[in-house]
Amino acid sequence: MSNTYRDSCGAGLENEEEFVDILEERRRSSDLGHALRTFSPHPYKGAESCSNADLNKAVLESQYLRYMAKEIAAETGSSVEEVREEACGILEEMSQNLQLKCIRLMGFTMTKVLKRLYSGIFVNMEGLNMLQQSIQEHPVILMPNHRSYMDFLIISYIMFTYDIPMPFIAAGIPLAGMKLVGEVLRRSGAFFIRRAIGSDKLYWAVLSEYVRTIIKTGIAPLEFYVEGLRSRTLKSVMPKLGMMHMVMEPFFKGEVYDITLIPISISYDRVLEESLLAHELLGIPKPKESTTALLKASKVLQEDYGSMHVNFGRPMSVRHLCEGKINRCQYNLVPRDLPQKPSAEVQACVSWLAHLMVRVQEEGSVMGPWALMACLLLQAPTRVLTEEGLPWQELTDKTLWLRKLALDFGARLNWPSGQGQAPDTDVMSSTVALHGSIVNHKAGRVFLVQEEEPTRNRPISPEEKMISTAAAVLMLASYRNMSLHIFVRPALLATALHIKKTTQKDELLAFFCFLRDVFSNDFIFIPGNSSQDFEEACFLLKKCGAVHVSEQEVTVSVAGLEVLSFLQALLQPFIDSYQVIFRYLCENEVHVYAEKQFLTAVRNLATELILSGELHTYEALSSDTHKNVLSALQRLDSLTKSRASEQNEYTVNKAAVRRIDDILSGKIPPQMLHTTPEAKL
Amino acid sequence: MASNSSGGSDRQRVAQQRLRIITGHLQGRENGDSTIIAAECKAEGSQTDVSREEGKTVPRRRQEIMKWNGWGYSDTKFIFNNKGQAEFTGKRYRLSGMIIPALKEWFEGTFGASMQHKSPAAPVLNSGAVQPPTLNEAFLEELKSTGVPFSHDAEDRVYRAHGHCLHEIFALREGKVGRVPDMVVWPNCHEDVVKIVELACKHDVCLIPYGGGTSVSSGLECPPEETRCIVSVDTSQMNRILWIDEKNLTAHVEAGIVGQDLERLLNESGYCTGHEPDSMEFSSLGGWVATRASGMKKNIYGNIEDLVVHVKMVTPQGVMEKSCRGPRMSTGPDIHHFIMGSEGTLGVVTEVTMKIRPVPEYQKYGSVVFPNFEQGVACLREVAKQRCAPASIRLMDNEQFKFGHALKPQVSSMFTSFLDGLKKFYITKFKGFDTDRLCVATLLFEGGREKVLQHEKQVYDIAAKFGGLAAGEDNGQRGYMLTFVIAYLRDLGMEYYVIGESFETSVPWDRVLDICRNVKARIIGECKSKGVQFQPLSTCRVTQTYDTGACVYFYFAFNYRGLSDPVHVYEQVERAAREEILANGGSLSHHHGVGKLRKEWMRETVSNVGMGMLQSVKDYVDPKNIFGNRNLL
């Protein structure tokens, strides 16, 4: 299963594509000239010429919406006219209004901003050429990962620069609410989707018809984030399936011959919102998306953010990917215009494909030295980082060692060839300099930067000090996360070896699968691929000489201890954080928690444990971790979520949680955990 | 086939009508015919006038007039003459003896074929390649006593061992012969068939009914695993019209009669059945019934299931028939539907009572050019919705439109080509049609003169709403003529490394465009992935309209130079195309039938219970599998 995409469409590592800095030309020639360039893309050959107004009209007049309007009218007791008017309102709020004029304006502004922020924007031209080809053949879906607001228009910017049809971009509705910016985005091709659609049938209907119509008519490429949200942790997010299903449906129903998916990996040396995100994770709320907030944030424009890599993956044919997975005849007996509940087969396929896309995005992402250094910095005790500092030499030696390991594991590494006597050291020095907001390097040692609050008069309390450290640690953790996909499979195996103290392959596999299940909100795995993941882990550890693998056994080699302990330490913060929460849930008297109450309690507990020195990882403070634990427990049937008076409530099955905790500690062997199907659309 | 009528005015009238019906699109026409024909024939130049003795088309020894390894009459084929021009030989068809100047360029351009690269067929059938017959002596002895003619001559047997699937013809061209019937019998009437079936049951002989031999479903292929003596029951000599009932407008006909004879003989009495499948020159009434055939003019006359009033079938359990000729009955499931589509697995259809109609007073061809296929389909859908479809309405896609143009015979008059140029200028320059997108619908109207003209206007008015421009009778007529010569063209292709075939489906209206696009794209994609080195021809047309859907025909051909096993590649692509059809909501077959070629999809097509029902009928009617062609189930 996992190999199907690798053989034909996987991003091959063998032929490292050439990345070209697209800002270079902008620095040499006129920005205005670029903005006013002749834009003459080659569109999809089957595209129907169709204005934005035509598109909206086609959506509103579709058989599907007519049917849904009638059904909803009957359910709600309102008239069909009213429902249709409401649909019209939803569509107005949603729809894009792409205009070339606006793109030119955006292009002009973006050139200015990008040149200020980034030393370079590197794009793989081969990928871009393949995209240009694909766009003419079938409807194309652009699927970037989402790490920064910067992602939002960068694809359009590149498309404009290289004469590729401008995409329609699915965006969150808060953006639409921003004065002026919302309208500019709309005219740049953004269409806006509400956050919590829930069971609003009419909204779903309008949205899905809108998406399907875009694909069926081939009027423009469609861009959406399969992860749904901007990742707060720079780690991949569990993909959302609703949009993915809407996108695939025209293929399932034979309305198009094929659909081409273009995975796009956007990687940053340094993310604009790094500090904002860390604070958000610590429960300091994210400012509302508003234009004034954006202007305030303009001081971020003064800083240097290194370079950005945009890697256009190999085009992937949905037809090819779904071969043997979907029986398209299931749509034969009901008119295709009518709503039809997706079958289990379809749900599984959509889920599989969504996860696959995340995996391919991960494989295509480019990481710099900083991601590796962050891994290592986090493995030093926090006290060392804040007080005595980590010796520079130790860090650089270890980083070079890790670079080799990462390359062995197939990482795409952006390691600039530095100049001078010790080029590698130069690279690392400038990397640390770029990240001066997190660490500084003085007197041969590296320290964690503590946030300074200049207006403060009173002494700092231990809790406040801790928050400040935690923010720096979480930023560091985010950059570490950029490399996690490279290490996670071997690291799970390393952890299994460490906890189970066994060499038996089947036992290790069982524990590996258990870990994979428990952590599948933190690390994204393709459903149903656990044995391939295990094989991959074995293969990689064997490749770097850490283990010997035979039919029955996986044995640790002496030379491999360094690798294994690094990998195991890499996952330790996750295991520790999960265990803190498991124990909280088991030991507490209460069985039912309100969501807010739970989150506060867990954060307080973690703060207490860190201060008392019992817990070593600040990551236990991250709300992302908390949410992932809740999802994991729900998935493992140890927790049920219900909705009571505006709030989510969780009912805990303590025995089940305790069992998971015991397995995780190696006290009892893993049993087949009952996992509910992940494929809910 | 057509004879010059020199008798009285009555006879003349009949002859003229008759000629309009079949020969209009089949072959030459007479001098001084009525105004419409004079107006039509400007592009054709001289007329051919073939005189044949009255009587039957198909002799017992098919080899006297038919090819052994290709389509149709031995004297008729496409060749590239020594000037390198395409020419249609013989005298039987309107196109016969004509030069087709544009065909070579189209052929080379479309397939990348070249006159230098020939793939000639084995010149003659080598009887040595044919396995000696396995004869059932006891059966043979008793058969002799009945006086029914039979043969175990190699040629006779090979002729009845195949239909016209690509792999069947390809093998013959290479001189390869697989399992063939061990003998051929020629029953002369129903009673003969009863005797043959009785003897077969008694001696455990396998019977395979044979009508016109035009199967494209591997329906006539002998199962290689069959060890019993296989006897081909050739019904071609059971070809009489037994009676005509003018009060009820029915005719009782022996099932071996081929389409052209049936129409001709009925025409002589002023009647027709109106059933004109594309294979009607050679296919037989019994074959139509056994495969659920469909005729091009079904809009007026209906498909075979609408035409049949009464059927007689000889089965191992005895003769099955209804007791009366009531036009409709509520007497449980219609037993005719066990017969129609049984594909020779239950028995031999021997006699059929079918509806007849007076020969229509007037017939008119027509054509409409649409800016694109989408508009064309929308127009056909609207015509179906308004239930005003002409006798025939067919929509060819752009590739077929171009193909049709390549088949225009040489024009004798400067004026015609000038007019053609003018027409082209009008359509492309003035109306802005893109020659790479436009497509054409061909029409055939039939009925009373006034009504036809009225009907014609109605259809053209609808077409205009979809951007359609009337493009003349000539284009329409040529379109229908192509139906009959296209099978000959495949033989020409096979001389130059080009193989191909057609297949069909039926599909709801809302799926028509999607299925056409997807199946064509799938064919192209599969060819590429199977290593076909030249762009294939992948084209389709909508050939029938119904209230709720349409029949779609796909043509697919490619140049196989460089492939080691072209037939295998061909079969893989065709199989993929069929899967694509099913995945797009198309049926397994609209009228070609299942045979052995499409058997693998039967279960998913009719469900387990459905298969069980069919199987139990087979088990009851033919427990010893005497009718052992193994079609369908």
Side-chain angles (χ1 to χ4, degrees):
Chain A
M1 211 177 196
S2 72
N3 287 333
T4 48
Y5 74 95
R6 280 154 191 279
D7 296 344
S8 48
C9 24
L13 292 174
E14 313 78 42
N15 51 340
E16 204 66 55
E17 296 97 352
E18 285 289 308
F19 280 87
V20 171
D21 180 7
I22 62 165
L23 284 188
E24 206 178 299
E25 204 186 320
R26 294 287 77 72
R27 293 191 206 281
R28 279 193 272 108
S29 63
S30 145
D31 294 346
L32 196 61
H34 170 255
L36 295 178
R37 65 193 297 281
T38 323
F39 180 63
S40 51
H42 295 287
Y44 167 48
K45 65 175 190 301
E48 298 161 25
S49 60
C50 171
S51 71
N52 293 328
D54 290 345
L55 174 68
N56 289 6
K57 196 168 157 219
V59 172
L60 284 175
E61 284 173 5
S62 66
Q63 198 81 41
Y64 176 70
L65 268 192
R66 277 166 204 269
Y67 178 88
M68 290 303 287
K70 253 186 227 159
E71 195 177 277
I72 291 164
E75 279 170 18
T76 58
S78 41
S79 75
V80 175
E81 286 316 304
E82 281 163 359
V83 177
R84 289 184 60 81
E85 235 158 73
E86 200 186 328
C88 194
I90 293 174
L91 189 62
E92 223 160 82
E93 171 194 280
M94 181 186 303
S95 57
Q96 57 72 37
N97 186 18
L98 182 68
Q99 291 176 1
L100 195 57
K101 272 184 289 189
C102 190
I103 295 292
R104 295 188 187 284
L105 179 69
M106 274 309 281
F108 184 70
T109 336
M110 280 192 67
T111 307
K112 296 282 182 213
V113 172
L114 293 173
K115 281 200 295 198
R116 171 161 295 174
L117 290 176
Y118 297 103
S119 53
I121 295 178
F122 293 89
V123 176
N124 65 326
M125 286 301 146
E126 196 195 327
L128 211 54
N129 290 339
M130 285 190 289
L131 170 62
Q132 208 153 20
Q133 278 299 310
S134 306
I135 271 188
Q136 295 170 44
E137 282 159 18
H138 302 293
V140 158
I141 314 297
L142 302 168
M143 299 179 71
N145 56 356
H146 198 7
R147 300 290 174 263
S148 163
Y149 279 129
M150 216 55 223
D151 302 337
F152 197 75
L153 286 173
I154 190 69
I155 308 286
S156 303
Y157 181 78
I158 297 171
M159 306 279 263
F160 174 67
T161 307
Y162 289 93
D163 266 345
I164 303 174
M166 303 300 299
F168 293 170
I169 314 163
I173 200 96
L175 288 175
M178 296 164 76
K179 280 188 206 91
L180 192 65
V181 175
E183 191 51 33
V184 170
L185 292 178
R186 201 185 283 278
R187 291 185 187 196
S188 307
F191 64 95
F192 299 98
I193 306 176
R194 291 183 195 162
R195 282 274 183 246
I197 307 174
S199 55
D200 187 341
K201 261 172 112 171
L202 186 63
Y203 195 86
W204 274 116
V206 175
L207 174 61
S208 57
E209 188 61 27
Y210 189 64
V211 169
R212 278 196 299 258
T213 310
I214 291 172
I215 292 173
K216 282 194 282 189
T217 55
I219 165 173
L222 183 79
E223 177 179 335
F224 82 100
Y225 302 108
V226 69
E227 295 167 301
L229 297 165
R230 190 163 49 101
S231 167
R232 267 44 173 178
T233 56
L234 303 190
K235 201 164 49 180
S236 303
V237 179
M238 180 89 97
K240 301 281 180 293
L241 306 182
M243 189 73 168
M244 192 74 198
H245 181 251
M246 289 176 211
V247 162
M248 307 274 285
E249 226 185 346
F251 167 73
F252 293 154
K253 290 185 171 176
E255 292 162 330
V256 294
Y257 179 70
D258 198 355
I259 295 173
T260 306
L261 307 180
I262 311 281
I264 303 172
S265 314
I266 307 177
S267 327
Y268 297 90
D269 278 356
R270 187 178 165 209
V271 178
L272 284 177
E273 318 73 333
E274 54 177 19
S275 137
L276 210 64
L277 292 175
H279 284 89
E280 216 179 297
L281 290 173
L282 287 169
I284 303 159
K286 156 187 172 186
K288 196 169 175 290
E289 278 135 333
S290 70
T291 310
T292 32
L294 185 79
L295 292 174
K296 271 186 201 159
S298 61
K299 76 161 199 256
V300 302
L301 297 187
Q302 311 303 325
E303 295 184 37
D304 177 10
Y305 290 89
S307 58
M308 183 201 291
H309 279 78
V310 183
N311 187 6
F312 288 88
R314 207 170 285 270
M316 296 164 79
S317 148
V318 167
R319 172 174 279 268
H320 181 81
L321 289 164
C322 293
E323 217 172 281
K325 289 194 161 65
I326 291 288
N327 179 2
R328 287 180 285 152
C329 292
Q330 63 190 287
Y331 297 98
N332 284 358
L333 297 181
V334 177
R336 292 174 298 168
D337 296 326
L338 299 192
Q340 210 178 336
K341 203 173 171 296
S343 65
E345 183 192 42
V346 166
Q347 296 189 17
C349 179
V350 168
S351 166
W352 172 78
L353 201 53
H355 284 80
L356 176 66
M357 292 313 288
V358 172
R359 178 88 208 260
V360 178
Q361 285 171 355
E362 285 179 341
E363 288 178 342
S365 63
V366 175
M367 61 183 187
W370 183 236
L372 301 177
M373 296 174 90
C375 288
L376 296 165
L377 284 164
L378 276 175
Q379 293 193 10
T382 315
R383 196 185 41 76
V384 171
L385 290 180
T386 51
E387 287 163 22
E388 63 225 41
L390 188 71
W392 172 249
Q393 191 62 42
E394 192 185 321
L395 178 63
T396 53
D397 287 351
K398 226 24 200 173
T399 304
L400 292 177
W401 171 82
L402 188 54
R403 177 175 71 165
K404 188 181 169 301
L405 186 68
L407 288 173
D408 268 355
F409 285 178
R412 282 171 190 272
L413 208 52
N414 166 38
W415 191 286
S417 44
Q419 273 140 27
Q421 300 245 292
D424 286 341
T425 318
D426 287 351
V427 168
M428 285 183 278
S429 292
S430 58
T431 300
V432 167
L434 183 66
H435 293 278
S437 56
I438 306 176
V439 290
N440 57 36
H441 172 200
K442 56 188 175 203
R445 286 180 176 267
V446 180
F447 295 88
L448 205 60
V449 170
Q450 305 279 314
E451 218 172 61
E452 291 158 29
E453 298 227 10
T455 58
R456 187 177 294 276
N457 301 321
R458 59 191 173 78
I460 302 169
S461 73
E463 283 84 4
E464 283 169 331
K465 183 162 187 294
M466 199 198 66
I467 292 286
S468 148
T469 309
V473 171
L474 289 187
M475 281 197 259
L476 210 48
S478 293
Y479 287 107
R480 170 208 58 198
N481 289 344
M482 292 176 75
S483 69
L484 266 184
H485 64 275
I486 296 294
F487 298 117
V488 68
R489 289 166 186 80
L492 287 181
L493 180 53
T495 304
L497 285 163
H498 174 74
I499 293 176
K500 295 311 286 179
K501 310 264 185 282
T502 178
T503 59
Q504 290 304 306
K505 212 172 175 179
D506 49 351
E507 280 180 54
L508 290 169
L509 172 62
F511 199 74
F512 180 93
C513 293
F514 164 75
L515 289 173
R516 191 179 172 277
D517 279 352
V518 171
F519 291 109
S520 65
N521 285 80
D522 266 301
F523 318 121
I524 308 306
F525 300 102
I526 298 170
N529 251 24
S530 46
S531 42
Q532 287 97 319
D533 282 334
F534 181 73
E535 287 306 319
E536 191 180 322
C538 291
F539 170 78
L540 291 175
L541 284 185
K542 191 177 151 193
K543 185 176 170 199
C544 70
V547 298
H548 305 289
V549 182
S550 69
E551 258 324 77
Q552 310 290 333
E553 286 191 312
V554 179
T555 45
V556 176
S557 75
V558 186
L561 287 175
E562 193 181 7
V563 171
L564 292 174
S565 74
F566 163 79
L567 289 173
Q568 187 246 318
L570 192 66
L571 292 193
Q572 199 59 48
F574 294 94
I575 293 178
D576 289 346
S577 305
Y578 273 55
Q579 280 183 329
V580 166
I581 299 172
F582 289 163
R583 280 165 206 170
Y584 169 76
L585 289 171
C586 292
E587 284 157 20
N588 215 307
E589 297 292 299
V590 196
H591 286 267
V592 182
Y593 298 89
E595 188 168 23
K596 270 200 188 124
Q597 173 203 349
F598 166 81
L599 292 175
T600 323
V602 168
R603 187 168 285 132
N604 289 342
L605 174 67
T607 311
E608 213 173 282
L609 291 174
I610 292 169
L611 285 175
S612 71
E614 275 177 71
L615 179 66
H616 300 292
T617 173
Y618 283 73
E619 293 181 54
L621 295 169
S622 160
S623 60
D624 186 62
T625 311
H626 306 157
K627 282 177 195 148
N628 286 344
V629 174
L630 290 180
S631 306
L633 290 177
Q634 265 176 271
R635 201 178 50 249
L636 301 170
D637 276 349
S638 309
L639 197 72
T640 42
K641 184 175 172 177
S642 50
R643 206 161 164 81
S645 62
E646 298 290 300
Q647 259 243 57
N648 288 329
E649 265 187 10
Y650 296 93
T651 311
V652 185
N653 175 348
K654 288 184 194 253
V657 174
R658 189 164 294 125
R659 201 169 61 239
I660 294 171
D661 187 33
D662 286 345
I663 301 172
L664 189 55
S665 328
K667 285 183 201 152
I668 55 172
Q671 54 245 77
M672 289 305 285
L673 287 165
H674 172 73
T675 46
T676 45
E678 296 167 62
K680 280 206 197 95
L681 298 183
Chain B
M1 182 165 53
S3 67
N4 246 330
S5 45
S6 48
S9 65
D10 239 359
R11 196 167 149 68
Q12 183 130 29
R13 184 183 62 82
V14 171
Q16 281 181 5
Q17 283 162 341
R18 174 180 105 215
L19 277 157
R20 273 195 230 109
I21 303 310
I22 312 179
T23 58
H25 44 257
L26 206 61
Q27 60 172 104
R29 64 169 87 83
E30 288 169 302
N31 283 315
D33 211 330
S34 67
T35 48
I36 38 155
I37 291 186
E40 282 162 6
C41 69
K42 55 186 181 276
E44 260 61 43
S46 70
Q47 274 86 39
T48 40
D49 190 357
V50 192
S51 295
R52 263 187 89 241
E53 58 173 31
E54 282 285 326
K56 310 302 185 209
T57 305
V58 187
R60 212 190 291 166
R61 288 181 56 77
R62 298 177 79 80
Q63 44 274 53
E64 286 168 10
I65 59 160
M66 313 267 270
K67 295 197 189 77
W68 69 280
N69 61 356
W71 181 260
Y73 299 109
S74 308
D75 56 21
T76 301
K77 61 180 176 182
F78 282 96
I79 53 161
F80 287 114
N81 63 23
N82 36 24
K83 287 186 197 151
Q85 286 172 312
E87 189 182 328
F88 196 47
T89 65
K91 293 180 176 167
R92 295 174 185 269
Y93 298 85
R94 272 181 59 193
L95 207 56
S96 296
M98 293 199 186
I99 300 289
I100 304 120
L103 184 59
K104 177 166 172 260
E105 197 188 325
W106 177 85
F107 183 71
E108 291 177 329
T110 304
F111 296 108
S114 141
M115 296 303 114
Q116 272 71 56
H117 300 286
K118 289 200 72 173
S119 48
V124 288
L125 172 62
N126 172 12
S127 305
V130 184
Q131 274 185 354
T134 313
L135 294 176
N136 183 318
E137 294 300 335
F139 173 80
L140 197 56
E141 277 314 300
E142 285 204 55
L143 183 70
K144 278 180 189 162
S145 70
T146 64
V148 177
F150 66 90
S151 155
H152 39 78
D153 165 70
E155 256 189 10
D156 286 335
R157 290 159 56 214
V158 169
Y159 263 79
R160 285 153 188 89
H162 66 87
H164 284 271
C165 286
L166 174 87
H167 66 271
E168 294 172 314
I169 300 301
F170 196 92
L172 288 175
R173 287 175 57 90
E174 293 199 316
K176 288 182 187 152
V177 180
R179 177 79 162 99
V180 304
D182 299 296
M183 56 186 281
V184 182
V185 294
W186 286 273
N188 202 41
C189 61
H190 172 78
E191 298 312 321
D192 283 356
V193 176
V194 172
K195 285 179 213 156
I196 292 166
V197 173
E198 270 171 10
L199 290 180
C201 292
K202 186 172 167 194
H203 300 288
D204 198 19
V205 161
C206 173
L207 298 181
I208 297 185
Y210 181 92
T214 56
S215 157
V216 281
S217 61
S218 303
L220 289 167
E221 236 171 56
C222 298
E225 67 272 29
E226 180 61 68
T227 52
R228 295 174 294 181
C229 169
I230 299 180
V231 176
S232 176
V233 183
D234 183 336
T235 58
S236 64
Q237 305 313 301
M238 296 165 56
N239 52 16
R240 287 160 294 243
I241 295 179
L242 297 176
W243 46 254
I244 291 175
D245 174 355
E246 297 191 87
K247 287 188 177 147
N248 295 305
L249 287 181
T250 55
H252 192 66
V253 188
E254 287 183 313
I257 195 166
V258 294
Q260 57 169 311
D261 289 353
L262 177 61
E263 287 308 290
R264 193 183 63 245
L265 294 172
L266 284 175
N267 285 179
E268 284 171 6
S269 313
Y271 295 105
C272 67
T273 65
H275 186 69
E276 297 186 12
D278 291 358
S279 59
M280 71 173 291
E281 294 168 88
F282 307 107
S283 59
S284 69
L285 173 55
W288 301 337
V289 170
T291 57
R292 298 182 63 86
S294 169
M296 118 189 157
K297 298 195 294 194
K298 71 93 196 156
N299 292 336
I300 293 183
Y301 300 96
N303 286 318
I304 195 71
E305 67 272 21
D306 310 309
L307 288 166
V308 164
V309 176
H310 183 271
V311 189
K312 215 186 257 186
M313 178 165 75
V314 182
T315 77
Q317 293 282 27
V319 176
M320 166 158 148
E321 63 181 318
K322 290 183 185 175
S323 67
C324 67
R325 293 185 283 137
R328 181 181 188 274
M329 296 190 215
S330 174
T331 50
D334 190 340
I335 57 158
H336 280 172
H337 287 283
F338 290 124
I339 300 173
M340 284 187 285
S342 60
E343 303 194 1
T345 60
L346 300 177
V348 185
V349 176
T350 53
E351 289 172 16
V352 179
T353 309
M354 67 192 300
K355 295 181 194 170
I356 55 173
R357 299 290 305 165
V359 170
E361 178 195 323
Y362 189 63
Q363 198 182 39
K364 192 171 181 189
Y365 290 98
S367 65
V368 181
V369 179
F370 292 97
N372 55 48
F373 191 64
E374 288 77 7
Q375 294 278 66
V377 170
C379 173
L380 260 62
R381 203 281 162 265
E382 184 59 30
V383 165
K385 198 187 262 175
Q386 296 193 18
R387 290 200 169 163
C388 63
S392 170
I393 177 165
R394 288 176 169 178
L395 179 74
M396 307 186 207
D397 69 0
N398 183 260
E399 290 85 356
Q400 277 195 33
F401 163 77
K402 288 179 177 164
F403 174 40
H405 258 258
L407 281 170
K408 263 193 173 176
Q410 195 158 38
V411 284
S412 46
S413 129
M414 283 278 291
F415 184 63
T416 328
S417 76
F418 172 71
L419 261 185
D420 275 357
L422 215 58
K423 252 191 286 183
K424 189 176 170 186
F425 177 82
Y426 177 71
I427 287 176
T428 59
K429 296 292 183 306
F430 193 71
K431 284 286 173 181
F433 284 23
D434 176 354
T435 39
D436 288 324
R437 296 197 67 200
L438 62 79
C439 72
V440 62
T442 57
L443 311 167
L444 172 62
F445 297 92
E446 254 184 39
R449 191 184 163 95
E450 282 309 306
K451 277 198 173 154
V452 162
L453 295 176
Q454 216 179 341
H455 193 178
E456 190 187 24
K457 182 175 179 318
Q458 187 187 7
V459 172
Y460 282 119
D461 284 349
I462 295 173
K465 286 191 192 127
F466 296 91
L469 297 173
E473 293 174 44
D474 194 40
N475 279 319
Q477 193 171 20
R478 200 173 48 250
Y480 288 101
M481 172 195 72
L482 279 185
T483 307
F484 296 94
V485 300
I486 199 160
Y488 287 102
L489 263 173
R490 180 171 79 178
D491 291 336
L492 176 72
M494 287 171 92
E495 293 278 319
Y496 297 91
Y497 285 96
V498 173
I499 53 177
E501 186 142 51
S502 61
F503 44 88
E504 40 72 50
T505 186
S506 56
V507 65
W509 277 115
D510 72 312
R511 293 268 200 171
V512 170
L513 280 178
D514 290 332
I515 207 171
C516 290
R517 176 193 56 239
N518 291 352
V519 172
K520 288 199 285 184
R522 178 77 183 261
I523 288 170
I524 292 169
E526 291 288 333
C527 281
K528 210 181 214 175
S529 76
K530 299 283 180 298
V532 176
Q533 311 197 348
F534 301 85
Q535 179 80 2
L537 175 70
S538 173
T539 146
C540 72
R541 64 185 194 205
V542 180
T543 60
Q544 288 292 6
T545 64
Y546 292 86
D547 285 352
T548 64
C551 168
V552 180
Y553 230 90
F554 294 94
Y555 289 87
F556 148 50
F558 63 87
N559 181 339
Y560 66 85
R561 271 179 61 217
L563 296 181
S564 61
D565 191 350
V567 171
H568 182 61
V569 170
Y570 168 81
E571 282 172 344
Q572 284 178 306
V573 177
E574 189 191 333
R575 194 176 178 285
R578 181 56 62 183
E579 284 195 327
E580 192 63 34
I581 286 174
L582 299 176
N584 281 275
S587 64
L588 188 53
S589 171
H590 170 263
H591 61 271
H592 281 176
V594 175
K596 289 176 275 290
L597 194 62
R598 287 174 276 273
K599 241 164 88 162
E600 61 178 304
W601 292 288
M602 260 305 268
R603 189 168 291 278
E604 65 184 81
T605 300
V606 303
S607 81
N608 280 329
V609 178
M611 279 298 266
M613 283 180 173
L614 296 179
Q615 187 63 52
S616 65
V617 169
K618 167 78 179 173
D619 291 346
Y620 168 73
V621 174
D622 185 16
K624 287 164 75 183
N625 196 26
I626 297 301
F627 288 91
N629 61 17
R630 306 201 189 210
N631 289 341
L632 206 57
L633 291 174

